[in-house]
Short mmCIF file of all heavy atoms in Angstrom, two decimals:
data_model
loop_
_atom_site.label_atom_id
_atom_site.label_comp_id
_atom_site.label_asym_id
_atom_site.label_seq_id
_atom_site.Cartn_x
_atom_site.Cartn_y
_atom_site.Cartn_z
N ALA A 1 41.95 0.99 -27.10
CA ALA A 1 41.68 2.36 -26.66
C ALA A 1 40.39 2.89 -27.28
O ALA A 1 39.63 3.62 -26.63
CB ALA A 1 42.86 3.27 -27.01
N ASP A 2 40.13 2.54 -28.53
CA ASP A 2 38.89 2.97 -29.18
C ASP A 2 37.68 2.30 -28.53
O ASP A 2 36.64 2.94 -28.32
CB ASP A 2 38.93 2.67 -30.67
CG ASP A 2 39.91 3.54 -31.43
OD1 ASP A 2 40.34 4.57 -30.86
OD2 ASP A 2 40.25 3.19 -32.58
N PHE A 3 37.81 1.01 -28.24
CA PHE A 3 36.70 0.32 -27.57
C PHE A 3 36.44 0.94 -26.20
O PHE A 3 35.28 1.19 -25.83
CB PHE A 3 37.00 -1.17 -27.43
CG PHE A 3 35.98 -1.89 -26.58
CD1 PHE A 3 34.67 -1.99 -26.99
CD2 PHE A 3 36.35 -2.43 -25.36
CE1 PHE A 3 33.72 -2.63 -26.19
CE2 PHE A 3 35.42 -3.07 -24.55
CZ PHE A 3 34.10 -3.17 -24.97
N LEU A 4 37.49 1.20 -25.44
CA LEU A 4 37.32 1.81 -24.13
C LEU A 4 36.64 3.17 -24.26
O LEU A 4 35.76 3.51 -23.46
CB LEU A 4 38.69 1.95 -23.45
CG LEU A 4 38.71 2.43 -22.01
CD1 LEU A 4 37.90 1.50 -21.11
CD2 LEU A 4 40.15 2.54 -21.51
N GLY A 5 37.01 3.95 -25.27
CA GLY A 5 36.38 5.24 -25.48
C GLY A 5 34.92 5.15 -25.86
O GLY A 5 34.14 6.09 -25.64
N SER A 6 34.52 4.00 -26.39
CA SER A 6 33.12 3.82 -26.79
C SER A 6 32.21 3.49 -25.62
O SER A 6 30.98 3.52 -25.76
CB SER A 6 33.02 2.71 -27.85
OG SER A 6 33.16 1.43 -27.25
N ARG A 7 32.78 3.16 -24.46
CA ARG A 7 31.99 2.86 -23.24
C ARG A 7 32.50 3.77 -22.12
O ARG A 7 33.13 3.33 -21.17
CB ARG A 7 32.12 1.40 -22.83
CG ARG A 7 32.03 0.37 -23.92
CD ARG A 7 30.66 0.19 -24.51
NE ARG A 7 29.66 -0.34 -23.64
CZ ARG A 7 28.63 -1.08 -24.08
NH1 ARG A 7 28.53 -1.41 -25.37
NH2 ARG A 7 27.70 -1.48 -23.24
N PRO A 8 32.26 5.08 -22.20
CA PRO A 8 32.86 6.03 -21.25
C PRO A 8 32.30 5.87 -19.84
O PRO A 8 31.20 5.36 -19.63
CB PRO A 8 32.50 7.39 -21.84
CG PRO A 8 31.28 7.14 -22.64
CD PRO A 8 31.42 5.75 -23.20
N ARG A 9 33.07 6.36 -18.90
CA ARG A 9 32.65 6.30 -17.50
C ARG A 9 31.32 7.01 -17.29
O ARG A 9 30.51 6.62 -16.46
CB ARG A 9 33.72 6.93 -16.61
CG ARG A 9 35.06 6.22 -16.66
CD ARG A 9 36.07 6.90 -15.75
NE ARG A 9 37.40 6.34 -15.95
CZ ARG A 9 38.30 6.20 -14.99
NH1 ARG A 9 38.01 6.61 -13.77
NH2 ARG A 9 39.49 5.70 -15.23
N GLU A 10 31.11 8.09 -18.02
CA GLU A 10 29.87 8.85 -17.88
C GLU A 10 28.64 7.99 -18.09
O GLU A 10 27.58 8.22 -17.49
CB GLU A 10 29.86 10.03 -18.86
CG GLU A 10 28.63 10.92 -18.73
CD GLU A 10 28.53 11.94 -19.85
OE1 GLU A 10 29.48 12.06 -20.67
OE2 GLU A 10 27.49 12.63 -19.92
N ALA A 11 28.76 6.96 -18.96
CA ALA A 11 27.61 6.09 -19.23
C ALA A 11 27.20 5.35 -17.96
O ALA A 11 26.00 5.21 -17.65
CB ALA A 11 27.95 5.10 -20.35
N GLU A 12 28.17 4.85 -17.21
CA GLU A 12 27.85 4.18 -15.95
C GLU A 12 27.29 5.17 -14.94
O GLU A 12 26.30 4.89 -14.26
CB GLU A 12 29.10 3.49 -15.38
CG GLU A 12 29.49 2.22 -16.13
CD GLU A 12 30.55 1.41 -15.39
OE1 GLU A 12 30.20 0.72 -14.41
OE2 GLU A 12 31.74 1.48 -15.80
N GLU A 13 27.93 6.32 -14.83
CA GLU A 13 27.52 7.29 -13.81
C GLU A 13 26.10 7.80 -14.05
O GLU A 13 25.30 7.92 -13.11
CB GLU A 13 28.52 8.44 -13.76
CG GLU A 13 29.87 8.01 -13.20
CD GLU A 13 31.01 8.91 -13.65
OE1 GLU A 13 30.79 10.13 -13.75
OE2 GLU A 13 32.10 8.38 -13.92
N ARG A 14 25.77 8.11 -15.31
CA ARG A 14 24.42 8.60 -15.58
C ARG A 14 23.38 7.52 -15.30
O ARG A 14 22.31 7.80 -14.72
CB ARG A 14 24.29 9.09 -17.01
CG ARG A 14 22.91 9.69 -17.30
CD ARG A 14 22.73 10.13 -18.73
NE ARG A 14 23.58 11.30 -19.06
CZ ARG A 14 23.52 11.93 -20.23
NH1 ARG A 14 22.66 11.52 -21.16
NH2 ARG A 14 24.31 12.95 -20.46
N ALA A 15 23.67 6.29 -15.69
CA ALA A 15 22.72 5.20 -15.45
C ALA A 15 22.56 4.93 -13.96
O ALA A 15 21.44 4.70 -13.47
CB ALA A 15 23.18 3.94 -16.17
N ILE A 16 23.65 4.94 -13.22
CA ILE A 16 23.56 4.71 -11.77
C ILE A 16 22.76 5.82 -11.11
O ILE A 16 21.93 5.58 -10.22
CB ILE A 16 24.97 4.59 -11.17
CG1 ILE A 16 25.62 3.28 -11.63
CG2 ILE A 16 24.92 4.64 -9.63
CD1 ILE A 16 27.09 3.15 -11.30
N ARG A 17 22.96 7.07 -11.55
CA ARG A 17 22.18 8.19 -11.01
C ARG A 17 20.68 7.96 -11.27
O ARG A 17 19.85 8.25 -10.40
CB ARG A 17 22.65 9.49 -11.65
CG ARG A 17 22.13 10.74 -10.95
CD ARG A 17 22.79 12.00 -11.52
NE ARG A 17 24.24 12.01 -11.30
CZ ARG A 17 25.15 11.88 -12.26
NH1 ARG A 17 24.76 11.74 -13.53
NH2 ARG A 17 26.44 11.91 -11.98
N THR A 18 20.36 7.43 -12.44
CA THR A 18 18.97 7.12 -12.77
C THR A 18 18.39 6.09 -11.81
O THR A 18 17.25 6.21 -11.34
CB THR A 18 18.87 6.60 -14.22
OG1 THR A 18 19.30 7.62 -15.12
CG2 THR A 18 17.46 6.18 -14.56
N VAL A 19 19.19 5.07 -11.48
CA VAL A 19 18.74 4.03 -10.55
C VAL A 19 18.60 4.60 -9.14
O VAL A 19 17.63 4.31 -8.44
CB VAL A 19 19.70 2.83 -10.58
CG1 VAL A 19 19.27 1.78 -9.55
CG2 VAL A 19 19.74 2.20 -11.97
N VAL A 20 19.56 5.40 -8.72
CA VAL A 20 19.49 6.02 -7.39
C VAL A 20 18.20 6.82 -7.25
O VAL A 20 17.47 6.71 -6.24
CB VAL A 20 20.71 6.92 -7.14
CG1 VAL A 20 20.51 7.77 -5.88
CG2 VAL A 20 21.98 6.08 -7.01
N ASP A 21 17.88 7.63 -8.25
CA ASP A 21 16.66 8.44 -8.19
C ASP A 21 15.42 7.55 -8.13
O ASP A 21 14.46 7.86 -7.39
CB ASP A 21 16.59 9.36 -9.41
CG ASP A 21 17.63 10.46 -9.40
OD1 ASP A 21 18.20 10.73 -8.32
OD2 ASP A 21 17.88 11.05 -10.47
N ALA A 22 15.43 6.46 -8.88
CA ALA A 22 14.27 5.56 -8.89
C ALA A 22 14.10 4.86 -7.55
O ALA A 22 12.97 4.69 -7.06
CB ALA A 22 14.41 4.54 -10.02
N VAL A 23 15.19 4.45 -6.94
CA VAL A 23 15.11 3.83 -5.61
C VAL A 23 14.57 4.83 -4.59
O VAL A 23 13.71 4.50 -3.76
CB VAL A 23 16.50 3.31 -5.18
CG1 VAL A 23 16.51 2.91 -3.71
CG2 VAL A 23 16.92 2.13 -6.05
N ARG A 24 15.05 6.05 -4.66
CA ARG A 24 14.58 7.09 -3.73
C ARG A 24 13.08 7.33 -3.90
O ARG A 24 12.33 7.46 -2.91
CB ARG A 24 15.35 8.39 -3.98
CG ARG A 24 14.96 9.51 -3.03
CD ARG A 24 15.70 10.81 -3.36
NE ARG A 24 17.14 10.69 -3.16
CZ ARG A 24 18.05 10.73 -4.14
NH1 ARG A 24 17.65 10.89 -5.41
NH2 ARG A 24 19.33 10.64 -3.86
N ASP A 25 12.61 7.37 -5.14
CA ASP A 25 11.21 7.73 -5.39
C ASP A 25 10.25 6.58 -5.15
O ASP A 25 9.08 6.82 -4.79
CB ASP A 25 11.06 8.21 -6.84
CG ASP A 25 11.77 9.54 -7.09
OD1 ASP A 25 12.13 10.22 -6.11
OD2 ASP A 25 11.98 9.87 -8.27
N THR A 26 10.69 5.34 -5.36
CA THR A 26 9.79 4.18 -5.22
C THR A 26 9.92 3.47 -3.89
O THR A 26 9.02 2.71 -3.51
CB THR A 26 10.05 3.15 -6.34
OG1 THR A 26 11.38 2.62 -6.17
CG2 THR A 26 9.90 3.77 -7.72
N GLY A 27 11.04 3.67 -3.19
CA GLY A 27 11.28 2.90 -1.98
C GLY A 27 11.68 1.47 -2.25
O GLY A 27 11.69 0.64 -1.33
N GLY A 28 12.03 1.17 -3.51
CA GLY A 28 12.41 -0.18 -3.87
C GLY A 28 13.86 -0.50 -3.51
O GLY A 28 14.62 0.35 -3.05
N ARG A 29 14.23 -1.76 -3.76
CA ARG A 29 15.59 -2.23 -3.54
C ARG A 29 16.24 -2.50 -4.89
O ARG A 29 15.63 -3.13 -5.77
CB ARG A 29 15.61 -3.52 -2.72
CG ARG A 29 15.09 -3.36 -1.30
CD ARG A 29 15.41 -4.59 -0.45
NE ARG A 29 14.75 -5.79 -0.95
CZ ARG A 29 15.36 -6.95 -1.18
NH1 ARG A 29 16.68 -7.05 -1.03
NH2 ARG A 29 14.68 -8.00 -1.61
N ALA A 30 17.48 -2.03 -5.06
CA ALA A 30 18.17 -2.23 -6.34
C ALA A 30 19.64 -2.56 -6.08
O ALA A 30 20.21 -2.22 -5.04
CB ALA A 30 18.05 -1.00 -7.23
N HIS A 31 20.22 -3.22 -7.06
CA HIS A 31 21.62 -3.65 -6.99
C HIS A 31 22.27 -3.33 -8.32
O HIS A 31 21.74 -3.68 -9.38
CB HIS A 31 21.68 -5.16 -6.71
CG HIS A 31 23.05 -5.74 -6.68
ND1 HIS A 31 23.92 -5.57 -5.63
CD2 HIS A 31 23.72 -6.50 -7.60
CE1 HIS A 31 25.05 -6.20 -5.88
NE2 HIS A 31 24.96 -6.76 -7.07
N ILE A 32 23.43 -2.66 -8.26
CA ILE A 32 24.17 -2.30 -9.47
C ILE A 32 25.11 -3.44 -9.82
O ILE A 32 25.95 -3.83 -9.00
CB ILE A 32 24.95 -0.99 -9.28
CG1 ILE A 32 24.00 0.16 -8.89
CG2 ILE A 32 25.75 -0.66 -10.54
CD1 ILE A 32 22.95 0.47 -9.93
N LEU A 33 25.00 -3.92 -11.04
CA LEU A 33 25.81 -5.05 -11.48
C LEU A 33 27.18 -4.58 -11.99
O LEU A 33 27.32 -3.46 -12.48
CB LEU A 33 25.09 -5.81 -12.60
CG LEU A 33 23.75 -6.43 -12.20
CD1 LEU A 33 22.99 -6.89 -13.43
CD2 LEU A 33 23.96 -7.59 -11.23
N HIS A 34 28.16 -5.45 -11.86
CA HIS A 34 29.50 -5.36 -12.47
C HIS A 34 30.02 -3.92 -12.63
O HIS A 34 30.28 -3.45 -13.74
CB HIS A 34 29.53 -6.09 -13.81
CG HIS A 34 28.39 -5.83 -14.74
ND1 HIS A 34 27.95 -4.57 -15.08
CD2 HIS A 34 27.60 -6.71 -15.42
CE1 HIS A 34 26.94 -4.68 -15.91
NE2 HIS A 34 26.71 -5.96 -16.14
N LEU A 35 30.20 -3.24 -11.52
CA LEU A 35 30.73 -1.88 -11.56
C LEU A 35 32.17 -1.90 -12.06
O LEU A 35 33.02 -2.59 -11.52
CB LEU A 35 30.69 -1.25 -10.17
CG LEU A 35 31.20 0.19 -10.09
CD1 LEU A 35 30.20 1.14 -10.73
CD2 LEU A 35 31.49 0.59 -8.65
N SER A 36 32.43 -1.10 -13.11
CA SER A 36 33.81 -0.96 -13.57
C SER A 36 34.34 0.45 -13.37
O SER A 36 35.55 0.67 -13.39
CB SER A 36 33.93 -1.35 -15.05
OG SER A 36 33.61 -0.29 -15.92
N ASP A 37 33.46 1.43 -13.14
CA ASP A 37 33.85 2.84 -13.05
C ASP A 37 34.00 3.27 -11.60
O ASP A 37 33.01 3.46 -10.89
CB ASP A 37 32.80 3.70 -13.76
CG ASP A 37 33.02 5.19 -13.54
OD1 ASP A 37 34.18 5.59 -13.31
OD2 ASP A 37 32.03 5.94 -13.59
N ALA A 38 35.23 3.46 -11.17
CA ALA A 38 35.47 3.87 -9.78
C ALA A 38 34.98 5.28 -9.49
O ALA A 38 34.75 5.63 -8.34
CB ALA A 38 36.96 3.76 -9.45
N ASP A 39 34.80 6.10 -10.52
CA ASP A 39 34.28 7.46 -10.30
C ASP A 39 32.87 7.44 -9.71
O ASP A 39 32.44 8.44 -9.11
CB ASP A 39 34.26 8.25 -11.61
CG ASP A 39 35.65 8.66 -12.08
OD1 ASP A 39 36.61 8.52 -11.30
OD2 ASP A 39 35.77 9.11 -13.23
N ALA A 40 32.15 6.31 -9.87
CA ALA A 40 30.78 6.23 -9.36
C ALA A 40 30.73 5.88 -7.88
O ALA A 40 29.66 5.96 -7.27
CB ALA A 40 29.99 5.20 -10.16
N ILE A 41 31.85 5.51 -7.30
CA ILE A 41 31.83 5.03 -5.91
C ILE A 41 31.33 6.09 -4.94
O ILE A 41 30.49 5.78 -4.06
CB ILE A 41 33.22 4.50 -5.51
CG1 ILE A 41 33.51 3.20 -6.26
CG2 ILE A 41 33.31 4.27 -4.00
CD1 ILE A 41 34.92 2.65 -6.05
#
């Protein structure tokens, strides 16, 4: 439970949002690896 708390869902969501913004701004292609957080779907 402590380990799970150390890698919160918010960490995935914020990083994915960063990638989404970068794809939008650059027109590039990106792929999100090993999604574990269903809240990001």
Side-chain angles (χ1 to χ4, degrees):
D2 290 345
F3 172 65
L4 186 59
S6 75
R7 316 289 294 210
R9 298 180 188 214
E10 182 189 354
E12 286 191 77
E13 291 157 37
R14 183 182 292 185
I16 290 170
R17 193 172 298 111
T18 298
V19 177
V20 169
D21 291 343
V23 169
R24 182 183 295 113
D25 292 345
T26 65
R29 296 192 297 129
H31 177 76
I32 302 299
L33 298 168
H34 46 51
L35 181 73
S36 85
D37 172 27
D39 287 349
I41 291 174

